[in-house]
């Protein structure tokens, strides 16, 4: 829900035209602290125009654009830092090339990454460079023999200015997904005390005909709330339990996500209950749940977490077996280094029919 603290991009540009650099930087930092990365990007970007030699801020702009999945702008700022910061940010060159890769520019990025490998003297990236090179070679080969798929972009009743994510099929003709519907991205006044940043909610879409889908509005269920991002839903194979994530900013300004469970009743879905430790632990995120069944038809919960204990690094995939007697997941385990890496392993999806776990990684070789 938008409020009086929101302003159009044109209004923001008029304001930025006359603000001094020091005030722009202050507003950028305030917007970032409030979790409004789109407004923060605008202010930080203008600050770099006024103070072009501040590579610390330029590097921040690059990382925020990466977080917003604007790989074109992220590439621009990573390259500025890599070319001009006199080696103060040795990984900036890697991330510039990685942004080209994320745009699908594999033929352009591959020789650059190979050259970067020869010149790189740091230790932070480890095997990531080798996996990146392997992934780009894989992508070029795949482009030469494309798979027989037809990918369609869903219309404006579903896809809007913000990121739409985590679709869940309820049946063959209905999907739940997470979004912040807006035709344009609003920018908020960082100096306003009346700022309510919109939160992600569950919405529904229905198949109208063949590949035609249409957004049907907010999901009617006890999942959405005004003070938390609601996302990453999944339904257990037996259809009885719904797992999803609520994410909120903590007192330290960190976005912490925790997994909740709702059960199907005769009158609908029950009020969500936060899963107990060790699924959710204080100060760290547990998110992106998916569920499979063991041989006895007990639920196995897979999820991604950034907890440091027994971790390979970053976000790892964990799993736990549901205990019917205690009605909880009494123990969770790291799925192991054959899957988890020093990078981030996220978005696990368990296909119960084939007993196959799918996941995403920013470390392993891929496209």
């Amino acid at each position: 829900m938008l409020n009086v603290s929101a302003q159009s991009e044109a209004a923001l540009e008029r304001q930025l035209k006359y603000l001094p650099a020091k005030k722009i930087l202050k507003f950028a930092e305030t917007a970032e602290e409030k979790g409004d990365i789109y407004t923060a990007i605008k202010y930080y970007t203008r600050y770099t125009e006024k103070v072009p030699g501040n590579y610390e801020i330029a590097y921040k702009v690059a990382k925020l654009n990466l977080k917003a999945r604007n790989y074109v702008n992220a590439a621009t700022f990573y390259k500025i830092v890599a070319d001009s910061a006199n080696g103060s940010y040795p990984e900036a060159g890697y991330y510039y090339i990685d942004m080209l890769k994320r745009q699908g520019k594999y033929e352009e990025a591959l020789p650059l990454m190979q050259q970067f490998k020869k010149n790189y003297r740091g230790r932070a990236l480890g095997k990531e460079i080798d996996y990146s090179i392997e992934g780009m070679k894989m992508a070029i080969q795949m482009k030469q023999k494309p798979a027989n798929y037809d990918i369609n972009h869903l219309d404006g009743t579903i896809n809007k200015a913000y990121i739409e994510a985590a679709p869940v099929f309820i049946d063959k003709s209905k999907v739940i997904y997470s979004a912040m519907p807006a035709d344009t991205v609003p920018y908020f006044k960082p100096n306003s005390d009346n700022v309510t940043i919109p939160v992600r909610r569950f919405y529904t879409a229905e198949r109208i005909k063949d590949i035609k889908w249409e957004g049907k509005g907010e999901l009617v269920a006890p999942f959405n709330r005004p003070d938390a991002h609601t996302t990453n839903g999944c339904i257990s194979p037996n259809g009885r339990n719904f797992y999803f994530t609520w994410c909120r900013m903590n007192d330290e300004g960190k976005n912490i996500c925790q997994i909740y469970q709702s059960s199907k009743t005769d009158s609908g879905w029950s009020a969500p209950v936060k899963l107990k430790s060790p699924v959710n632990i204080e100060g760290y995120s547990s998110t992106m749940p998916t569920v499979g069944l063991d041989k006895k038809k007990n639920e196995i919960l897979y999820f991604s977490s950034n907890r440091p204990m027994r971790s390979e690094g970053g976000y790892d995939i964990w799993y736990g077996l549901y205990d019917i007697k205690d009605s909880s997941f009494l123990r969770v385990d790291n799925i192991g280094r054959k899957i988890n890496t020093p990078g981030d392993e996220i978005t696990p999806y368990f296909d119960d029919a084939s007993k196959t776990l799918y996941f995403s990684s920013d470390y392993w070789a891929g496209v």
Side-chain angles (χ1 to χ4, degrees):
M1 182 176 181
L2 305 186
N3 57 37
V4 295
S5 64
Q7 57 185 327
S8 67
E9 185 172 10
L12 176 58
E13 288 295 336
R14 288 194 297 270
Q15 181 194 43
L16 287 169
K17 187 175 181 179
Y18 300 105
L19 281 177
K22 188 175 182 180
K23 182 68 74 174
I24 291 174
L25 180 59
K26 178 64 177 176
F27 283 171
E29 292 170 342
T30 302
E32 185 182 9
E33 289 171 2
K34 292 178 178 178
D36 182 11
I37 65 170
Y38 296 95
T39 301
I41 287 170
K42 277 289 185 180
Y43 280 102
Y44 278 129
T45 301
R46 183 55 58 90
Y47 179 81
T48 63
E49 295 170 1
K50 290 180 176 285
V51 188
N54 192 325
Y55 299 114
E56 179 182 358
I57 298 301
Y59 201 56
K60 183 187 287 285
V61 175
K63 291 192 289 186
L64 286 173
N65 273 290
L66 171 57
K67 189 175 182 179
R69 293 173 175 80
N70 189 330
Y71 304 134
V72 174
N73 285 351
T76 297
F77 281 92
Y78 277 126
K79 192 170 194 309
I80 289 172
V81 175
D83 291 347
S84 308
N86 297 320
S88 298
Y89 300 88
E91 284 77 41
Y94 169 85
Y95 288 111
Y96 162 65
I97 302 167
D98 187 56
M99 294 307 102
L100 299 180
K101 176 188 174 186
R102 293 183 189 227
Q103 295 174 59
K105 299 179 179 180
Y106 307 112
E107 292 85 355
E108 178 183 353
L110 177 58
L112 293 176
M113 190 64 80
Q114 291 169 328
Q115 186 61 45
F116 181 85
K117 178 182 177 180
K118 291 180 181 179
N119 299 333
Y120 183 64
R121 296 294 178 265
R123 296 181 179 180
L125 295 174
K127 293 184 178 180
E128 286 182 76
I129 298 172
D130 292 332
Y131 283 134
S132 181
I133 290 172
E134 182 184 341
M136 284 186 274
K137 290 179 179 179
M138 181 194 309
I140 291 170
Q141 292 177 348
M142 292 169 67
K143 287 175 67 177
Q144 293 170 353
K145 296 181 180 180
N148 187 26
Y149 295 109
D150 185 17
I151 299 175
N152 296 276
H153 188 262
L154 301 185
D155 68 21
T157 66
I158 299 170
N159 287 319
K160 297 183 182 293
Y162 284 107
I163 296 166
E164 288 72 43
V168 181
F169 277 88
I170 302 303
D171 53 43
K172 292 183 178 180
S173 61
K174 187 173 183 180
V175 162
I176 295 173
Y177 64 99
S178 180
M180 293 191 294
D183 293 328
T184 59
V185 174
Y187 300 96
F188 297 87
K189 301 174 184 177
N191 58 331
S192 173
D193 294 329
N194 187 30
V195 174
T196 302
I197 307 300
V199 294
R200 306 185 71 82
R201 295 170 174 264
F202 280 140
Y203 291 81
T204 63
E206 293 183 4
R207 187 194 301 272
I208 304 304
K209 182 181 179 182
D210 298 327
I211 60 172
K212 173 70 175 176
W213 288 79
E214 186 175 272
K216 293 298 182 181
E218 189 171 333
L219 174 67
V220 179
F223 307 141
N224 294 329
R225 56 185 300 168
D227 62 341
H229 291 286
T230 306
T231 187
N232 299 119
C234 73
I235 296 178
S236 60
N238 58 21
R240 297 173 186 169
N241 293 314
F242 185 76
Y243 298 88
F244 68 99
T245 300
W246 272 335
C247 302
R248 303 183 188 87
M249 297 282 281
N250 66 7
D251 294 337
E252 299 175 359
K254 295 180 181 179
N255 198 38
I256 302 296
C257 300
Q258 297 183 314
I259 299 172
Y260 287 73
Q261 178 194 48
S262 174
S263 299
K264 200 168 190 179
T265 68
D266 293 339
S267 58
W269 291 100
S270 66
V273 176
K274 185 171 75 171
L275 296 183
K276 301 175 184 178
S277 176
V279 173
N280 294 309
I281 61 174
E282 190 69 25
Y284 298 98
S285 285
S286 298
T287 184
M288 305 176 186
T290 185
V291 180
L293 299 177
D294 68 3
K295 293 179 180 179
K296 296 181 180 179
K297 303 300 181 181
N298 295 318
E299 292 184 2
I300 301 175
L301 179 72
Y302 302 88
F303 62 96
S304 185
S305 177
N306 64 351
R307 64 191 66 192
M309 55 286 288
R310 295 187 291 130
S311 170
E312 298 299 322
Y315 275 86
D316 279 2
I317 295 174
W318 296 72
Y319 70 98
L321 179 65
Y322 189 73
D323 189 303
I324 297 177
K325 295 180 181 178
D326 191 66
S327 299
S328 67
F329 297 88
L330 291 177
R331 174 182 172 182
V332 300
D333 291 298
N334 188 297
I335 206 166
R337 62 181 56 183
K338 288 185 178 181
I339 291 177
N340 291 324
T341 70
D344 290 329
E345 279 66 51
I346 61 171
T347 59
Y349 172 76
F350 190 82
D351 178 56
D352 200 61
S354 63
K355 304 300 180 185
T356 302
L357 180 72
Y358 298 86
F359 65 98
S360 178
S361 173
D362 64 359
Y363 197 88
W364 293 112
V367 299

